[in-house]
Amino acid sequence: MTVKINENYLLLQNSYLFAEIANRVENYKKENPDKEIISMGIGDVTKPLVPSVVKAFSKAVDDMGVADDFKGYGPEQGYSFLAEKIIENDYKPFGVNLDLDEVFISDGAKCDTANIQEIFDINNKVAVTDPVYTVYVDTNVMAGRTGEMKDDGMYEGLVYLPCREENGFIPSLPDEEVDLIYLCFPNNPTGTTLTKDQLKTFVDYAREHKSLILFDAAYEKFINESDVPHSIYEIEGAKEVAIEFRSFSKTAGFTGTRCAYTIVPKELKGYDDNGNSHSLNELWNRRQTTKFNGVSFPVQIAAAATYSEEGKKEIQDNIDYYMKNAKLIRVKLNELGLDVYGGVNSPYLWIKIPDGIDSWGFFDKLLNEANIVGTPGAGFGPSGEGYLRLTAFNTLENTIEAMDRISKLKF
Ligand SMILES: *Cc1c(COP(=O)(O)O)cnc(C)c1O
């Protein structure tokens, strides 16, 4: 017998962005063992879980050891005690009403944004913004929804919506028919946002073309400005055309704890070959109940604690801390004459690289001359060339030190 592999995997780019970065950092460290490197690269939080979350988490773990409180398998969709809090806190205040069975609690927005495409036909045309959170692209490659990567860095068969300084990082509507559109706002990697009116043009497009928006709102809690929508469902009609992904990862420091959720409204429809409509909520429910056995009980208790009065305050303090770093980076780099985007409603800053140097070149310059690790924009897609991403996930002290080092560089 021969085991044949899924050859779509061979279409993936070999050098995974963060592996290449780690490689370059490792090499630098080997040659310069005495240098203190400040990492502003990978998008991971640096602050620990807040006390009220740890308290609830730890009590739930203890409960698991008590016969009367022990929990075995929970609902695949998640416990309603958490779904209720999600609806009450994350949607009601924005005028969005949801039913409990429209909330699917999971162990990550990464896997949800990846897995969701299983319920869609292989021939659906997919649009992504460029630069992009690479999970959307790579998982569609794995599924066989694309051809090869072309010389211009774009996969055949995918529709790219460029977001660059020239268009204010606002993607244009696709100029060909697309079925699925991935949007992530506040954006990773650019840190930029859409206003309600800008997002509405996408909702209107989707309604007109019977397409679906996969809206990743992992950074929603970092929004500060009032005209930036927190949920796509704030836009009229969006419940007919959008699935929304959220995560406790960046919001509440759950990157190592794992909890997220996905909203699949019951209004959402997909179509079969005969043109009959089917509920996407039912399909996703079928997918989850078949392939997923739910998030651990203590983790869901911990996630619910993020909505307690104390939890909310502690988490807001952490977000404020990161956003203070973001502001500091923005102001300092502006003073140095660099154009900086993001960092207002998001922990990411998207630095326009001075002329004459590309994004890997600038990455190397920062690493070698300032011992700072960023992420080259080109790693997020061809339109990321010419930019570099820095994150505010760090200590204030490191952020200050990093800006001090950058200010000594010559551009
Ligand atoms: C970090 C991040 C997520 C969160 O993924 P989890 O699996 O929930 O940790 C989702 N989308 C984007 C764009 C992210 O940057």
Side-chain angles (χ1 to χ4, degrees), residues 4-16:
K4 202 169 171 258
I5 60 156
N6 175 355
E7 287 198 19
N8 297 320
Y9 278 58
L10 304 179
L11 300 173
L12 294 166
Q13 287 301 96
N14 264 338
S15 79
Y16 176 55

Side-chain angles (χ1 to χ4, degrees), residues 209 238 249 407:
H209 296 260
S249 282
S407 67

Side-chain angles (χ1 to χ4, degrees), residues 43-44 106-113 132-136 183-189 216-219 245-250 254-256 258-261 348 389 393:
D44 196 355
S106 79
D107 58 354
K110 180 177 181 175
C111 40
D112 283 356
T113 55
V132 69
Y133 179 57
T134 50
V135 173
Y136 317 146
L183 294 178
C184 172
F185 289 100
N187 188 258
N188 177 9
D216 187 339
Y219 296 93
F245 304 91
R246 297 263 189 113
S247 174
F248 294 93
S249 282
K250 316 300 165 26
F254 272 50
T255 50
R258 314 304 307 139
C259 198
Y261 63 86
Y348 295 123
R389 189 189 75 176
F393 293 130

Side-chain angles (χ1 to χ4, degrees), residues 325-389:
N325 289 345
K327 186 171 182 187
L328 190 119
I329 298 171
R330 221 158 26 87
V331 170
K332 284 285 168 192
L333 295 185
N334 279 157
E335 277 172 20
L336 297 174
L338 291 167
D339 290 326
V340 179
Y341 300 91
V344 177
N345 300 292
S346 138
Y348 295 123
L349 296 109
W350 195 237
I351 320 296
K352 178 94 190 296
I353 298 171
D355 285 345
I357 181 162
D358 70 7
S359 65
W360 276 106
F362 194 66
F363 168 89
D364 286 333
K365 185 178 170 73
L366 283 189
L367 175 61
N368 294 319
E369 297 175 25
N371 307 142
I372 293 166
V373 181
T375 310
F380 298 102
S383 289
E385 183 52 84
Y387 299 88
L388 178 124
R389 189 189 75 176

